[in-house]
């Protein structure tokens, strides 16, 4: 099962439910951007890569950016479009691997909410970070948030209860491999008194936060902040105003 088919055939249909209160989560993201001074300063274009249903896109648009929201899942983009009424957000159905489909000069690029670990390999992540750095205007910012999965959970720690209601339960199971974790999303739904199980899995990269910082530096960016919020590592990196090379 590829990551895209995992989203297309399974996760996208309950992603918004799994995430919980959209407005509260969106406001947390908006507050993060504001606290880091991530507001428009030059061309006011932001790319939100792996935008999902829009937690960062809506926040960036509310802060005054024109947002190009990119994702390979149409269900989540439609959800975002329904929330984006009156905001300057354009959605792009594309795979992040193909920068030519969404590349534009931007003063801010966000790849947040663990999207980075969805990429195929560390070398693909490093090469995309280099391409994204090229798209940034001088002084522009690249913002990442992702989980560092290098430390292995063992035994029952690998079962993560995500959300439960009377008729719906979502549990993640993590299977550790060298270099990646296979994530199983188990969904149980009660229909006409019967529990129906649907399970599907995908691969997440085990990217260490220090190795991602090195990738950012090798892409010519300077890491200016590192915060850990709800077990996600938030990195903000800046493109120098005068090229060091
Ligand atoms: C964990 S979600 C994060 C969504 C959003 N940024 C958030 O914080 O809620 C990862 C998103 O990236 C998208 N995605 C993963 N790999 C992708 C790729 N190679 N190309 C385009 N979208 C991708 C998925 O469809 C999903 O919407």
């Amino acid at each position: 099962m590829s990551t895209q088919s995992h989203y297309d055939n399974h996760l996208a249909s309950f992603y918004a439910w799994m995430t919980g209160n959209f407005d509260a989560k969106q406001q947390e993201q908006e507050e993060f951007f504001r606290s880091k001074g991530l507001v428009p300063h030059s061309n006011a274009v932001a790319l939100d890569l792996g935008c999902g249903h829009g937690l960062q896109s809506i926040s960036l648009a509310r802060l005054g950016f024109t947002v190009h929201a990119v994702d390979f899942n149409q269900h989540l983009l439609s959800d975002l479009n329904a929330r984006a009424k009156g905001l300057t957000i354009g959605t792009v159905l594309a795979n992040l691997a193909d920068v030519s489909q969404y590349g534009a000069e931007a003063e801010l690029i966000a790849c947040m909410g663990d999207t980075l670990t969805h990429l195929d390999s560390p070398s693909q992540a490093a090469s995309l970070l280099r391409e994204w750095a090229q798209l940034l205007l001088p002084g522009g910012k690249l913002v990442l948030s992702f989980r560092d999965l290098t430390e292995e959970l063992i035994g029952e720690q690998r079962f993560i209860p995500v959300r439960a209601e009377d008729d719906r339960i979502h549990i993640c199971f993590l299977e550790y491999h060298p270099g990646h974790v296979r994530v199983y999303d188990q969904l149980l739904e009660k229909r006409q008194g019967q529990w129906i199980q649907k399970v599907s899995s995908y691969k997440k990269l085990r990217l260490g936060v220090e190795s991602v910082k090195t990738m950012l530096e090798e892409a010519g960016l300077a890491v200016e902040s590192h915060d850990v919020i709800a077990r996600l590592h938030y990195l903000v990196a800046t493109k120098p105003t005068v090229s060091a090379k």
Side-chain angles (χ1 to χ4, degrees):
M1 173 74 70
S2 73
T3 300
Q4 182 163 8
S5 40
H6 178 74
Y7 272 84
D8 288 350
N9 301 320
H10 190 58
L11 186 53
S13 67
F14 61 95
Y15 189 87
W17 172 81
M18 171 192 87
T19 313
N21 186 325
F22 184 90
D23 292 340
K25 295 270 159 62
Q26 180 270 312
Q27 275 158 29
E28 284 166 16
Q29 297 298 293
E30 189 172 327
E31 190 41 44
F32 173 79
F33 291 124
R34 194 177 285 109
S35 73
K36 297 291 176 188
L38 299 170
V39 294
H41 295 291
S42 52
N43 77 347
V45 171
L47 308 185
D48 182 12
L49 307 179
C51 57
H53 66 337
L55 292 177
Q56 293 83 25
S57 292
I58 302 237
S59 304
L60 291 166
R62 289 210 168 131
L63 290 167
F65 287 97
T66 294
V67 181
H68 302 213
V70 184
D71 206 285
F72 61 19
N73 182 265
Q74 184 55 57
H75 183 105
L76 293 170
L77 289 181
S78 301
D79 201 347
L80 194 169
N81 273 321
R83 297 173 193 276
K85 300 276 179 271
L87 293 170
T88 49
I89 301 178
T91 52
V92 185
L93 181 67
N95 194 312
L96 298 184
D98 187 357
V99 177
S100 70
Q101 291 205 29
Y102 60 85
E105 269 197 342
E107 70 164 285
L108 186 145
I109 297 179
C111 181
M112 300 177 71
D114 216 18
T115 300
L116 197 68
T117 63
H118 291 53
L119 296 175
D120 290 343
S121 62
S123 64
Q124 187 191 44
S127 112
L128 282 175
L129 290 175
R130 283 195 297 275
E131 290 192 72
W132 298 344
Q134 294 294 318
L135 298 173
L136 282 176
L137 292 168
K141 312 277 184 186
L142 181 56
V143 189
L144 304 176
S145 66
F146 62 98
R147 284 187 204 287
D148 180 333
L149 297 170
T150 48
E151 201 174 306
E152 183 165 340
L153 297 178
I154 50 165
E156 63 272 21
Q157 296 174 324
R158 293 168 302 162
F159 294 83
I160 321 273
V162 182
R163 189 160 182 200
E165 284 184 337
D166 287 351
D167 53 2
R168 212 180 210 193
I169 298 169
H170 175 209
I171 294 166
C172 269
F173 174 71
L174 307 180
E175 183 182 86
Y176 285 81
H177 298 269
H180 74 274
V181 176
R182 181 147 289 277
V183 180
Y184 292 83
D185 284 311
Q186 180 195 37
L187 183 72
L188 292 157
E189 282 184 307
K190 204 174 205 176
R191 297 215 193 108
Q192 292 153 349
Q194 296 263 358
W195 284 101
I196 311 289
Q197 172 179 249
K198 263 184 85 188
V199 185
S200 166
S201 70
Y202 66 125
K203 205 178 95 169
K204 275 192 180 180
L205 297 176
R206 297 174 72 181
L207 294 171
V209 68
E210 293 307 320
S211 71
V212 175
K213 284 185 188 174
T214 303
M215 289 177 193
L216 289 166
E217 280 154 13
E218 285 172 358
L221 303 176
V223 178
E224 73 178 39
S225 73
H226 176 191
D227 298 87
V228 184
I229 306 167
R231 297 191 308 281
L232 281 171
H233 292 268
Y234 284 68
L235 299 178
V236 179
T238 309
K239 181 161 173 167
T241 42
V242 180
S243 172
K245 289 180 188 164

